[in-house]
Amino acid sequence: MALLRILEFPDPRLRTKAQPVQQVDDKMRKLISDMFETMYAAPGIGLAATQVDVHQRLLVADVSSDKSDPHVLINPTILEKDGVAVTSEGCLSVPGYYEDVERAEHVRVRYLNRTGDAIEQEFEGLLAVCVQHEMDHLDGKLFVDYLSEAKRQRIRKRLVKDRKLQAVGA
């Protein structure tokens, strides 16, 4: 397994719309393992392939406190959603920022699992929010897109400035 580099906002590659996975094979399963390792090390609760510069419709998630409930969703599609949840969201691609975002509290999703089997599953609460957040990444959307333009630009400028300071070793 290997740690992957997570792209950070405002990297334009985060805006790339992911393509459907054509084949669930050993190469895909290696990517899944690497994504889990990267997500857990970050640490985070979800990671979309887009965030590691792989533009395929794949996400991993685990909202458990002990890393015991990993989920792999390949080519996910939301079939139903209902309820409203306002959750303070963060993102591995927007490090250090948390903002309230409104999403559905419950979703029913169709996807392929890590062995390529078709699954239909319902998710609630934090896991439903996480799945929606990661699916947004697959469509080139970030949680900051739910914020005001002024707030988004402030976050963008701060992250760019922080990166410049890290590059010069300050």
Side-chain angles (χ1 to χ4, degrees), residues 9 24 32 37 58 99 157:
F9 177 71
V24 181
I32 289 165
E37 183 178 3
L58 161 67
E99 295 289 341
K157 286 177 184 172

Side-chain angles (χ1 to χ4, degrees), residues 8-9 19 21-22 26 31 33 35 39 45 58 63 73 75 79 97 99 111-112 117 119 124 128 134 139 146 157 159:
E8 292 185 4
F9 177 71
Q19 298 302 307
V21 171
Q22 298 301 316
D26 287 343
L31 174 61
S33 295
M35 286 177 61
M39 178 188 77
I45 61 170
L58 161 67
V63 300
L73 283 73
N75 297 337
L79 303 173
Y97 289 89
E99 295 289 341
Y111 62 93
L112 302 177
D117 298 322
I119 306 286
E124 293 182 345
E134 301 309 330
D139 292 325
Y146 292 92
K157 286 177 184 172
L159 288 172

Side-chain angles (χ1 to χ4, degrees), residues 57-115:
R57 296 191 69 77
L58 161 67
L59 69 89
V60 298
D62 186 345
V63 300
S64 69
S65 59
D66 60 357
K67 304 176 185 175
S68 64
D69 193 26
H71 294 271
V72 174
L73 283 73
I74 301 169
N75 297 337
T77 302
I78 293 177
L79 303 173
E80 289 179 15
K81 55 176 143 178
D82 59 61
V84 175
V86 177
T87 308
S88 180
E89 289 189 26
C91 181
L92 297 176
S93 292
V94 189
Y97 289 89
Y98 298 86
E99 295 289 341
D100 286 347
V101 176
E102 184 177 300
R103 297 194 187 268
E105 186 176 44
H106 169 266
V107 292
R108 188 162 57 88
V109 181
R110 179 182 303 128
Y111 62 93
L112 302 177
N113 65 11
R114 76 166 63 217
T115 58

